[in-house]
Amino acid sequence: MSPHRTKDSTLTNGANTLSPQEEIALKGFRYYAKGNGYCQLLEDGQPAVDDTTLLRFLRANNLDLNKAIDRFRVVQDWRVNHAISEFYLHMDVQCYEDYRKMFAQWTGRCDREGLPLYVFPMKQFTPDRLEAFISKYKHTSTMMTVSEAQNLPCHILAFHALYENMLKFVIPLCNELPGPRSTALVSASTHIIDITGMGFGHFWKIKKYLQGAISIATAHYPETLGHIFIVGAPSSFVKAWGIIKKWFEPASVSKIIILSPSDTETTLSTYIDPQNLPKHYGGILSWEWGDPPNLEEPTRNIASGIYVRDHDGVQQFVKGPVTFSGGSVHTWGTVNGKPRRQTIQN
C-alpha cells in the first residue's frame, strides 16, 4: 500500500495557539514558501515544509521574517541539493540501526510538556566506533547513491537520518497523543545526556564530532532541542564546562541544565513524570539505552503497526526508517538492496 498522501501541498496550520505577531509572520512565511515551490509533496506523500517547520525558523530568528526566510532558503536548498529526505526513505535498514546505536535514542515516552524524551549515554560514542561505521558503509550502494554524488560523508547523511526520524515519525506520533500540550503542537525534544565515567580527555577526542552534530542541529533543525539535562557529571566537570561550552553556540548552551547527583532525580521528575523516566535516572520506566522505544498504551493504540512479528512469532519494534502519517506507520529504507515500502494499518 502507498503511504498516506495529503490532498494537496497546502500547509496545515495546526499551530493554533499562536500570538498575533506569530500569526502575521507565519502567514507571510507560508506565502513565500508556497510561492517559491518549497511545499512540494515528497515521496512519502507529505509536503516538504509545513507550518511547524516555518514556525521553528521564525522563532529561531525572533520572528524576523526576512532573517527567517534567508536562513530557511539556504537550508531548504541545501536539503534538496543533497537529497536529505530521499536518503532517509532509501537508507539501508541495518545501516540506520548501526548508526542509531551511537547516538541519542527515543525512550518511547514524553516529558510533562509532551516533548519526546531521548537518552544519550555519551560514552557510547567514540571515534573508533564512528570510524568503524564509516569503513563499513562508505562504499555500500545506498550510501554511494547520495554521498558520492553530492560529496557528503556517509556519517553526516546518517546523522541527518536520525533527525528525519524524529521529524517524520516521533514528533507526528507524539502530536496524536492526548496530554498536557493542549492545542500546541510538539516541535522539539527533551534530552538526558549521561556523561557518567567520562573524563575531559574523552570530550577532547570527540570535540570535532560534537561540534559538527550541534552545528547541524542548530542550522538545519532549529528549535528542535527543548530541555537538555546533563547527568553523571563529576565535580571537575563544572570547571571543564567553562571550556567545553565555548565549542557550541550560545543558543544551544542556554538550554543545557547540568545536574549534580543529588539533584538529578528531583529535577528530572519535575520535568518528566516518573512513569516515563527510566529507572536508571530515578523513574520507574523499564527502559535502558539500546532498547527499542517502550510505548505506553495510548501510543501503542495509535501506532500498533510499529510492532511486527519475527520468524519466531515474537513481536518486535520495526527497525530502520519509518514515518507516521494518516494514522498509520509507513516502513521505508532498503533491505539487501531492495526497497521496503509498506503501510501498516492499526
Side-chain angles (χ1 to χ4, degrees):
M1 299 179 65
S2 60
H4 170 75
R5 298 182 66 85
T6 54
K7 293 182 180 179
D8 52 40
S9 58
T10 302
L11 299 182
T12 301
N13 183 15
N16 50 6
T17 58
L18 305 181
S19 68
Q21 294 84 355
E22 287 176 324
E23 288 278 10
I24 294 172
L26 178 59
K27 183 177 180 179
F29 207 169
R30 191 186 300 126
Y31 179 82
Y32 169 84
K34 292 175 64 177
N36 287 273
Y38 288 110
C39 305
Q40 301 297 321
L41 289 177
L42 300 173
E43 183 181 348
D44 61 357
Q46 301 304 303
V49 174
D50 58 13
D51 277 8
T52 304
T53 301
L54 298 180
L55 280 169
R56 288 195 287 103
F57 277 90
L58 279 171
R59 289 165 177 165
N61 291 277
N62 298 315
L63 301 186
D64 186 317
L65 181 57
N66 291 328
K67 289 183 178 179
I69 286 176
D70 288 343
R71 185 173 176 184
F72 169 84
R73 182 177 63 247
V74 170
V75 169
Q76 294 303 315
D77 289 349
W78 187 92
R79 286 177 59 85
V80 171
N81 292 336
H82 293 84
I84 297 301
S85 293
E86 291 81 357
F87 173 74
Y88 174 67
L89 300 179
H90 290 264
M91 187 177 186
D92 179 80
V93 169
Q94 190 57 52
C95 173
Y96 177 87
E97 290 298 319
D98 286 348
Y99 196 78
R100 186 183 68 85
K101 293 173 183 176
M102 289 189 287
F103 284 95
Q105 298 177 3
W106 183 38
T107 60
R109 302 302 176 95
C110 300
D111 67 10
R112 294 185 186 274
E113 296 178 7
L115 277 61
L117 174 64
Y118 284 76
V119 172
F120 180 24
M122 197 171 286
K123 66 181 179 181
Q124 299 291 343
F125 179 80
T126 67
D128 289 344
R129 291 191 68 182
L130 181 60
E131 291 303 321
F133 173 87
I134 293 172
S135 177
K136 180 178 180 180
Y137 288 108
K138 66 180 178 181
H139 294 308
T140 59
S141 59
T142 53
M143 285 294 187
M144 291 172 64
T145 300
V146 178
S147 63
E148 291 191 0
Q150 306 297 346
N151 195 30
L152 276 180
C154 64
H155 66 286
I156 298 298
L157 282 166
F159 186 79
H160 277 280
L162 297 185
Y163 261 92
E164 294 299 298
N165 177 266
M166 181 178 74
L167 295 178
K168 291 177 176 291
F169 173 68
V170 176
I171 285 181
L173 179 56
C174 292
N175 273 317
E176 292 293 319
L177 298 174
R181 61 182 178 82
S182 184
T183 54
L185 285 179
V186 172
S187 61
S189 54
T190 289
H191 291 251
I192 297 175
I193 299 179
D194 190 343
I195 62 172
T196 300
M198 289 184 59
F200 184 73
H202 189 112
F203 279 102
W204 190 257
K205 289 179 181 179
I206 63 176
K207 172 185 175 182
K208 67 176 182 179
Y209 303 111
L210 290 178
Q211 287 178 310
I214 293 295
S215 177
I216 290 174
T218 304
H220 293 267
Y221 306 96
E223 298 298 304
T224 54
L225 293 175
H227 308 296
I228 304 172
F229 301 100
I230 294 182
V231 303
S235 56
S236 58
F237 179 80
V238 177
K239 294 181 180 179
W241 178 243
I243 299 174
I244 296 172
K245 70 179 182 180
K246 295 178 182 179
W247 301 346
F248 312 119
E249 294 187 12
S252 298
V253 173
S254 66
K255 299 178 181 180
I256 295 175
I257 302 174
I258 302 174
L259 301 178
S260 67
S262 60
D263 293 334
T264 296
E265 182 177 343
T266 301
T267 303
L268 289 179
S269 295
T270 300
Y271 289 86
I272 307 161
D273 191 298
Q275 69 178 359
N276 296 322
L277 180 64
K279 291 179 179 179
H280 187 71
Y281 303 107
I284 60 175
L285 176 65
S286 295
W287 182 90
E288 295 182 0
W289 190 87
D291 290 346
N294 184 341
L295 304 184
E296 55 186 335
E297 196 63 30
T299 316
R300 287 173 178 262
N301 291 338
I302 293 172
S304 59
I306 199 64
Y307 292 96
V308 295
R309 295 189 182 278
D310 62 15
H311 296 298
D312 298 321
V314 179
Q315 273 199 338
Q316 291 189 341
F317 201 91
V318 172
K319 295 182 178 181
V322 292
T323 62
F324 182 82
S325 62
S328 298
V329 174
H330 313 282
T331 62
W332 301 89
T334 60
V335 179
N336 297 323
K338 297 181 179 179
R340 181 183 71 164
R341 304 288 183 269
Q342 184 179 10
T343 294
I344 308 175
Q345 303 288 352
N346 290 335

